Amino acid sequence: MKRDKWELKKNWRGYLLVFPACVAVILVSIYPMIYGSVIAFKNYVLTKSFMPDFGQFAGLKNFISVMAKPEFRQACMNTVFWTVTNVVVQVILATLIALALNRNIRCKSFFRTTALIPWAVPSVIAAMTFRFLYDTNVGIVNVILVKLGILDQPMSILGNIETARWAVVLESIWKGTPFVMIFILAALQSVPKDTLESAVVDGANAFQSFFRIVLPHIKGSVGIATILTTIGTINNFNAVWLMTMGGPSNSTEIMFTYAYRRAFNGNDFGEAAAVSVMMFILIAVLTSFYVKLMGEEN
């Protein structure tokens, strides 16, 4: 106990320097999270603030109510499709790009830098750029499809149920793949080159070398990148909201945009907070897997 007091007295300047950051984290992150969790268990519909039960404890009412809504179930299914498609395609595509950039090719540094550009573009700018590319009148995507004869006339890509979800997924894949690629490319540096050369001498082809030598060495990094990508995809509000706002007909609505809509369009902060709590639990589970993998890597 005396030693702890001495350490505090000795390092008070350091604690003083980190104090503003700690206060900012509490005010911006921890307090809103706790307050939102409390609201999830209350009657908190702003349009009914005159009612006597407004702000009163409601138990699991908000959770039961939101899970009974077809729109929420649709948002859950869309979230699964959105997350699985993004993660699977990003991991596979990032692995292929990383393998290509790990070879001895000319201008390797240039290609590596170029591959990171989508990740460096702010998410808002990326979403708005793709929205412009998909535009019915001036979008280059429609122009190309008409020129190639795939379409007879321009179509509303983001206004069509069949094409909207794939259009948004494509933007997310373009934006997120470089992040996964960095992890895998870094992991590839640890693969013993002499082992690969020996495998080639023994007659192993590219597929055998990858699955028997390369993949066992990088599987930890791939696992970490997959979990981080999954968390980021679930939380990717900007891409969906700025491009489709969850439409058309809720075909691109995910849990995040549904919670936002319930809060600021439906004025039901209780149900919105309930959805947020569900998302928090899901992300907490994924984070625990991430921490476990990090521990194994170290």
Side-chain angles (χ1 to χ4, degrees):
M1 188 67 179
K2 291 182 178 179
R3 183 179 178 181
D4 293 340
K5 290 182 178 179
W6 171 249
E7 291 293 332
L8 180 62
K9 183 178 180 180
K10 181 180 177 180
N11 301 317
W12 68 272
R13 292 182 180 86
Y15 289 111
L16 186 63
L17 288 173
V18 301
F19 178 74
C22 293
V23 173
V25 170
I26 292 173
L27 294 178
V28 176
S29 181
I30 297 178
Y31 173 73
M33 180 183 67
I34 296 175
Y35 187 67
S37 300
V38 172
I39 290 178
F41 296 93
K42 289 185 175 183
N43 290 312
Y44 220 88
V45 183
L46 294 186
T47 55
K48 297 181 180 180
S49 59
F50 57 89
M51 300 292 287
D53 64 342
F54 177 77
Q56 299 298 314
F57 180 73
L60 298 176
K61 175 186 175 182
N62 290 321
F63 293 89
I64 296 173
S65 175
V66 75
M67 285 189 290
K69 288 181 168 59
E71 297 87 357
F72 175 72
R73 294 196 293 270
Q74 178 67 37
C76 290
M77 290 188 291
N78 289 342
T79 301
V80 172
F81 169 82
W82 163 255
T83 305
V84 172
T85 306
N86 266 289
V87 172
V88 170
V89 176
Q90 286 184 36
V91 170
I92 294 175
L93 187 59
T95 302
L96 295 175
I97 296 174
L99 289 171
L101 294 179
N102 193 51
R103 298 172 64 88
N104 292 322
I105 57 176
R106 298 181 61 181
C107 304
K108 182 164 61 176
S109 299
F110 169 77
F111 289 119
R112 286 182 175 182
T113 304
T114 303
L116 293 175
I117 291 177
W119 182 53
V121 175
S123 58
V124 174
I125 294 177
M128 297 305 293
T129 299
F130 268 78
R131 184 175 179 177
F132 176 77
L133 293 176
Y134 293 137
D135 187 84
T136 307
N137 299 317
V138 295
I140 189 64
V141 175
N142 267 301
V143 173
I144 293 175
L145 292 177
V146 172
K147 291 289 185 181
L148 293 176
I150 298 175
L151 295 178
D152 295 329
Q153 58 184 3
M155 65 174 292
S156 178
I157 296 176
L158 295 178
N160 188 298
I161 295 177
E162 300 298 327
T163 58
R165 57 166 54 185
W166 291 107
V168 180
V169 165
L170 181 61
E171 186 275 342
S172 183
I173 291 172
W174 177 84
K175 181 79 172 66
T177 299
F179 175 77
V180 186
M181 186 266 296
I182 292 174
F183 274 86
I184 299 176
L185 185 58
L188 288 173
Q189 311 304 311
S190 66
V191 179
K193 293 184 178 180
D194 55 345
T195 306
L196 288 173
E197 292 172 356
S198 299
V200 173
V201 172
D202 292 338
N205 56 38
F207 289 98
Q208 291 173 329
S209 298
F210 174 76
F211 286 105
R212 295 184 180 182
I213 300 175
V214 177
L215 188 58
H217 279 85
I218 68 173
K219 64 180 182 180
S221 297
V222 172
I224 292 172
T226 300
I227 293 174
L228 291 177
T229 302
T230 302
I231 295 173
T233 303
I234 294 174
N235 285 320
N236 193 352
F237 173 82
N238 288 339
V240 177
W241 189 258
L242 293 176
M243 293 179 68
T244 64
M245 298 182 70
S249 300
N250 299 325
S251 61
T252 60
E253 187 90 280
I254 59 176
M255 293 176 69
F256 204 149
T257 58
Y258 179 83
Y260 181 89
R261 193 185 302 279
R262 289 302 300 156
F264 297 101
N265 290 355
N267 295 310
D268 194 336
F269 281 79
E271 287 192 2
V275 176
S276 298
V277 169
M278 296 179 198
M279 292 179 61
F280 174 78
I281 294 173
L282 175 60
I283 293 173
V285 172
L286 293 172
T287 303
S288 66
F289 283 112
Y290 167 72
V291 173
K292 182 179 179 180
L293 280 174
M294 284 295 292
E296 293 177 354
E297 282 288 290
N298 297 328

